Amino acid sequence: MISVLDSPVTASELLGALERRSDRSLYEQIVDRLRQLSAHSECIGAQVPTEDELTRIFGVSRVTVRRAIGRLVEENVLVRRRGKGTFISKPLPSI
């Protein structure tokens, strides 16, 4: 199974520190980071780190991570598969 952390380019984007003094909330910054990852064609179908891993990577609470993932699932950027994990979904064709 492919993980987004397997790609050095995407891993460096993901692991960047969040701006604690930014006007943007922490969950919005995580949404931005994960959305950037989804823009890379080699990441389509790749598994996103678990909530616990993202909590450690970004140094935020699990609630913050869940909120970010939930927003991206609503936007069809990510897809959750029960018992499997969260994956970067294939972009929907624009009409």
Side-chain angles (χ1 to χ4, degrees):
M1 184 174 306
I2 300 170
S3 169
V4 294
L5 295 178
D6 292 338
S7 172
V9 172
T10 55
S12 65
E13 290 174 11
L14 179 65
L15 295 174
L18 299 177
E19 297 286 331
R20 302 277 177 185
R21 294 184 180 189
S22 172
D23 291 337
R24 294 184 56 78
S25 67
L26 295 175
Y27 102 89
E28 289 174 322
Q29 292 180 55
I30 294 170
V31 166
D32 292 342
R33 300 287 170 83
L34 294 175
R35 190 175 281 126
Q36 287 173 358
L37 290 174
S38 71
H40 296 280
S41 61
E42 69 270 6
C43 288
I44 294 173
Q47 186 172 14
V48 175
T50 66
E51 290 176 0
D52 287 338
E53 290 171 328
L54 290 172
T55 297
R56 285 192 297 275
I57 288 168
F58 292 120
V60 296
S61 72
R62 190 170 182 171
V63 171
T64 302
V65 169
R66 288 182 64 88
R67 187 172 179 192
I69 290 174
R71 180 167 163 191
L72 291 170
V73 168
E74 287 176 10
E75 295 175 8
N76 295 317
V77 174
L78 299 178
V79 60
R80 282 187 175 141
R81 295 195 183 121
R82 190 175 200 154
K84 301 288 183 186
T86 304
F87 300 85
I88 297 176
S89 64
K90 188 174 183 179
L92 297 174
S94 56
I95 300 175

